[in-house]
C-alpha cells in the first residue's frame, strides 16, 4: 500500500472539515511494516498553531483498551503468578474480592457477582449515570467507585450491553490497589515506555506538565454552536472549550496522546513481537463478551451484529474482522480501527465535538484502499457520513417530541398553579449519589425558569420550566453544546409550606425513575 495521504484524500479531509466545522485533526496509519502519520488544520486558534503528528489530543474512551491491556499484563506478572492459585486475579475474579470495602452496588447480591470482565465489557447492568461524578467528594477513581452504592441499577447482570464508564473506573481503582501505583505510572511502566510512547499521558495534569516544560501542543477542543441538521446551521460559530482534567474517569477515558504514539499502540496489536502483549493476551482481550443490540449506533456500517470484548468493539466488514473503539468528550473525539487480517490500523484525533462520528468515513476510506477496493467503487465513506447526519436527525426529532411523550395529556390538563412563587423553589438540594443541585431563578427566551449548573465532569446546565402543579420539564445541555435532552421533574412542598425536595430523571436510560434531592438551604 502506498501512502494513504494522497492529494485525493487531502481533498476529502478539506471537504469534511468544511462540512463539520472541524479546526484540526491528526491521522496515523499502519499497514504491514509501513507507518504514515499526518496532521491537518489547527490545534489552537489564537495564536494559530498547526496540527502535527506529535500534537497532543484527548484519546478519551480509546483509553479503555489500554486499561484492559494493563490488566492482562498484571495477570501474567510475577506478582500475580506467585500467589496461590486460588488468590490469583483472573478476568472472572469478582471486583469485590479485590476492593471489598470500595466496590459496593445498591444490590448486595450483584456486588458479589460482578467480575472484572463484567466491569470492562459493559454488562454490569449499570446505566451511564454520567452526572454522578466529578464534583467535590467524587473526584478520584476511589471516590467514583465508592459512589456506585448510591446509584440505581438498570438491567440484569450479563444480559444487556449497556455502555457505562464507571465500572471501568472501578477496574482502574482495583488495579491501582493491587499494584500500589497510580494507573498512569503502571501504564507508563508496562505499555507506554516499552512501546516508546513517550508523548502519552494520563489526564490533563500529567499532560500539562509536558506542555509547560517541553513545549508540547495540546489541541484546544471546540463545539459548533448549531446542530448539523438545523436550518440555521451555517449561522453557528465555533466555541472553544476548557481543557478537561478527566483524572476522575481514569482508565475509562483519560489518556492524552498523539498520532505518532498511537501508531506504535496499533502496531503492538497487529505484530505482538513488537510489544509487551503476546498472542494469548490479544486473543483473550479480543474475545467477545457482550452482544451489541441491533438498534445501537455502534452496529451501523458493519455486517450483522457487533460485540464488545475487553475494551474493544468487534465487528465484521466485507468479510474481515475489525477491532475498534470511539472516543468522545466535550469538544473532541478519537477513533482507532484495526484489521489484523491485512495487518492494518488507522486512528485519528480531532478537536471538535463528536469527531468520532464526523470523521469515521475517512478512516473507512483508508481501510477500503488497504483492502484494494477501487476508488471509483468506494461508497462506504458517503454512507458513514449520511449515518452521522441521520444520528443528528434522530436527536432533533427525539427532542422535538419529548415534551409530548413526557406529558402526553398536557393540553387537556386541568391547569394548577405552583403552590409557591417560583423564587421559593430556588436553593441547594442534595442527593447522596448525584451531589448538589443549586437552583437559581433565570430567564430563558423571556420565560422565568429555574437554572442549575451541574458541577460534575460533563458540565451540564439544567433549565427547569413549570408544566403543571408540581410537575416540570427539564432541558439539559452544556453552555456551548447544541445537544439537548428533555427530562421530567417533580417538586415536593413540605407540611411547613416550603420546598422540601426535587425529583429529577437524571438518568436518560431510566426516564421514569426520579432521583430525589433533599433541601439543605
Amino acid at each position: 500500500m502506498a501512502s494513504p495521504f494522497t492529494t485525493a484524500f487531502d481533498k476529502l479531509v478539506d471537504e469534511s472539515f468544511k462540512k463539520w466545522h472541524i479546526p484540526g485533526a491528526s491521522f496515523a496509519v499502519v499497514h504491514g511494516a509501513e507507518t504514515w502519520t499526518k496532521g491537518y488544520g489547527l490545534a489552537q486558534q489564537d495564536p494559530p498553531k498547526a496540527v502535527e503528528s506529535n500534537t497532543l489530543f484527548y484519546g478519551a474512551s480509546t483509553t479503555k483498551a489500554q486499561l484492559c491491556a494493563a490488566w492482562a499484563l498484571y495477570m501474567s506478572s510475577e506478582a500475580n503468578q506467585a500467589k496461590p492459585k486460588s488468590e490469583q486475579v483472573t478476568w472472572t475474579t469478582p471486583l469485590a474480592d479485590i476492593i471489598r470495602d470500595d466496590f459496593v452496588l445498591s444490590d448486595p447480591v450483584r456486588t458479589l457477582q460482578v467480575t472484572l470482565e463484567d466491569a470492562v465489557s459493559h454488562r454490569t447492568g449499570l446505566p451511564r449515570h454520567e452526572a454522578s461524578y466529578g464534583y467535590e467528594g467524587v473526584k478520584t477513581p476511589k471516590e467514583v467507585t465508592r459512589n456506585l452504592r448510591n446509584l440505581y441499577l438498570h438491567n440484569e447482570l450479563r444480559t444487556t450491553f449497556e455502555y457505562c464508564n464507571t465500572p471501568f473506573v472501578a477496574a482502574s481503582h482495583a488495579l491501582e490497589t493491587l499494584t500500589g501505583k497510580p494507573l498512569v505510572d503502571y501504564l507508563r511502566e508496562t505499555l507506554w515506555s516499552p512501546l516508546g510512547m513517550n508523548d502519552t499521558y494520563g489526564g490533563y495534569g500529567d499532560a500539562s506538565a509536558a506542555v509547560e516544560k517541553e513545549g508540547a501542543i495540546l489541541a484546544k477542543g471546540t463545539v459548533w454552536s448549531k446542530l448539523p441538521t438545523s436550518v440555521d446551521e451555517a449561522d453557528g460559530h465555533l466555541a472553544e472549550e476548557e481543557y478537561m482534567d478527566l483524572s476522575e474517569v481514569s482508565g475509562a477515558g483519560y489518556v492524552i496522546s498523539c498520532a505518532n504514539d498511537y501508531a506504535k499502540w496499533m502496531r503492538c496489536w497487529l505484530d505482538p513481537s513488537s510489544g509487551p502483549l503476546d498472542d494469548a493476551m490479544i486473543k483473550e482481550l479480543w474475545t467477545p463478551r457482550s452482544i451489541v443490540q441491533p438498534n445501537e449506533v455502534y452496529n451501523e456500517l458493519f455486517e450483522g451484529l457487533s460485540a464488545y470484548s475487553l475494551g474493544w468493539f468487534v465487528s465484521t466488514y466485507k468479510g474481515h474482522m475489525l477491532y475498534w473503539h470511539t472516543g468522545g468528550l466535550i469538544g473532541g473525539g478519537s477513533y482507532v480501527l484495526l484489521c489484523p487480517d491485512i495487518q492494518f490500523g488507522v486512528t485519528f484525533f480531532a478537536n471538535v465535538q463528536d469527531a468520532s462520528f464526523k470523521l469515521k468515513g475517512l478512516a473507512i476510506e483508508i481501510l477500503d484502499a488497504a483492502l484494494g477496493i477501487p476508488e471509483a467503487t468506494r461508497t462506504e465513506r458517503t454512507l458513514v457520513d449520511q449515518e452521522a447526519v441521520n444520528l443528528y436527525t434522530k436527536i432533533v426529532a427525539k427532542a422535538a417530541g419529548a415534551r409530548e411523550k413526557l406529558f402526553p395529556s398536557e393540553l387537556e390538563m386541568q391547569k394548577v398553579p405552583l403552590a409557591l412563587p417560583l423564587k421559593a423553589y430556588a436553593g441547594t438540594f442534595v442527593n447522596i449519589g448525584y451531589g448538589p443541585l443549586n437552583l437559581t431563578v433565570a430567564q430563558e427566551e423571556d420565560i422565568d425558569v429555574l437554572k442549575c449548573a451541574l458541577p460534575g465532569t460533563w458540565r451540564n446546565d439544567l433549565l427547569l420550566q413549570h408544566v403543571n402543579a408540581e410537575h416540570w420539564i427539564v432541558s439539559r445541555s452544556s453552555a456551548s453544546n447544541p445537544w439537548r435532552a428533555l427530562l421530567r421533574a417533580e417538586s415536593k412542598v413540605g407540611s411547613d409550606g416550603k420546598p422540601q425536595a426535587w425529583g429529577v430523571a437524571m438518568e436518560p436510560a431510566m426516564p421514569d425513575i426520579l432521583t430525589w434531592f433533599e433541601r439543605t438551604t
Side-chain angles (χ1 to χ4, degrees), residues 299-347:
N299 278 313
E300 292 179 351
L301 172 70
F302 302 117
E303 298 158 0
L305 292 177
S306 292
Y308 199 89
S309 58
L310 302 177
W312 292 94
F313 285 95
V314 183
S315 303
T316 305
Y317 179 75
K318 297 184 178 178
H320 298 277
M321 295 299 298
L322 300 184
Y323 303 88
W324 58 279
H325 214 289
T326 57
L329 72 159
I330 299 174
S334 57
Y335 191 71
V336 179
L337 182 150
L338 301 175
C339 183
D341 290 352
I342 59 169
Q343 292 288 289
F344 170 87
V346 57
T347 189

Side-chain angles (χ1 to χ4, degrees), residues 92-139:
T92 58
T93 298
L95 264 181
D97 285 2
I98 306 172
I99 43 175
R100 187 172 300 278
D101 293 337
D102 297 330
F103 186 76
V104 178
L105 301 176
S106 58
D107 177 355
V109 175
R110 185 81 60 91
T111 298
L112 300 177
Q113 292 175 328
V114 170
T115 64
L116 179 57
E117 68 179 343
D118 293 328
V120 294
S121 61
H122 300 298
R123 63 183 197 185
T124 64
L126 275 164
R128 284 181 175 260
H129 287 302
E130 298 285 34
S132 69
Y133 55 85
Y135 55 88
E136 197 60 42
V138 191
K139 294 188 77 169

Side-chain angles (χ1 to χ4, degrees), residues 179-490:
T179 63
K181 300 175 181 179
L183 180 63
V184 63
D185 291 347
Y186 195 71
L187 288 172
R188 187 163 281 126
E189 173 188 318
T190 60
L191 285 174
W192 302 342
S193 291
L195 289 171
M197 296 172 64
N198 300 321
D199 295 313
T200 299
Y201 305 93
Y204 178 69
D206 192 31
S208 63
V211 171
E212 292 173 10
K213 294 179 182 178
E214 302 167 24
I217 304 300
L218 176 57
K220 190 73 171 175
T222 64
V223 174
W224 188 252
S225 63
K226 301 286 185 181
L227 284 174
T229 52
S230 302
V231 293
D232 59 347
E233 187 268 349
D235 297 331
H237 64 275
L238 203 63
E240 285 195 338
E241 292 286 345
E242 294 297 319
Y243 290 123
M244 299 183 72
D245 180 18
L246 296 182
S247 59
E248 66 272 21
V249 303
S250 191
Y254 78 160
V255 162
I256 294 173
S257 189
C258 63
N260 285 344
D261 277 11
Y262 262 45
K264 299 169 186 175
W265 170 238
M266 291 190 293
R267 186 166 295 285
C268 87
W269 292 85
L270 300 171
D271 177 13
S273 67
S274 68
L277 301 176
D278 61 31
D279 287 316
M281 292 178 192
I282 292 173
K283 181 179 179 181
E284 183 70 21
L285 290 164
W286 278 349
T287 298
R289 264 62 170 196
S290 305
I291 301 299
V292 180
Q293 295 91 318
N295 61 340
E296 289 275 4
V297 66
Y298 308 106
N299 278 313
E300 292 179 351
L301 172 70
F302 302 117
E303 298 158 0
L305 292 177
S306 292
Y308 199 89
S309 58
L310 302 177
W312 292 94
F313 285 95
V314 183
S315 303
T316 305
Y317 179 75
K318 297 184 178 178
H320 298 277
M321 295 299 298
L322 300 184
Y323 303 88
W324 58 279
H325 214 289
T326 57
L329 72 159
I330 299 174
S334 57
Y335 191 71
V336 179
L337 182 150
L338 301 175
C339 183
D341 290 352
I342 59 169
Q343 292 288 289
F344 170 87
V346 57
T347 189
F348 63 74
F349 303 92
N351 56 345
V352 74
Q353 186 84 14
D354 307 323
S356 60
F357 294 106
K358 294 172 178 175
L359 289 181
K360 184 169 125 181
L362 294 178
I364 299 302
E365 177 75 14
I366 297 174
L367 171 61
D368 279 347
L371 290 171
I373 297 170
E375 186 174 350
T377 61
R378 295 176 204 159
T379 59
E380 276 72 10
R381 177 184 59 81
T382 303
L383 294 174
V384 171
D385 281 357
Q386 186 57 48
E387 286 167 1
V389 173
N390 293 344
L391 174 64
Y392 286 108
T393 302
K394 291 175 185 176
I395 292 168
V396 172
K398 185 176 181 180
R403 188 179 185 108
E404 289 73 19
K405 289 181 180 179
L406 293 172
F407 299 101
S409 58
E410 183 179 354
L411 293 177
E412 294 125 27
M413 286 178 183
Q414 178 183 350
K415 296 302 179 184
V416 179
L418 284 171
L420 302 168
L422 183 70
K423 64 181 181 181
Y425 292 85
T428 300
F429 301 77
V430 174
N431 173 270
I432 190 171
Y434 272 80
L437 199 67
N438 299 306
L439 294 173
T440 59
V441 178
Q443 271 210 337
E444 181 78 4
E445 298 178 355
D446 298 325
I447 298 173
D448 287 334
V449 297
L450 292 171
K451 184 175 183 178
C452 171
L454 295 179
T457 297
W458 301 106
R459 303 198 300 265
N460 283 316
D461 288 340
L462 301 183
L463 294 178
L464 290 77
Q465 183 179 343
H466 179 240
V467 175
N468 198 32
E470 298 300 312
H471 296 267
W472 307 69
I473 193 163
V474 182
S475 172
R476 188 178 73 184
S477 67
S478 65
S480 59
N481 186 350
W483 287 64
R484 286 182 178 270
L486 293 183
L487 314 169
R488 70 183 186 94
E490 293 179 16

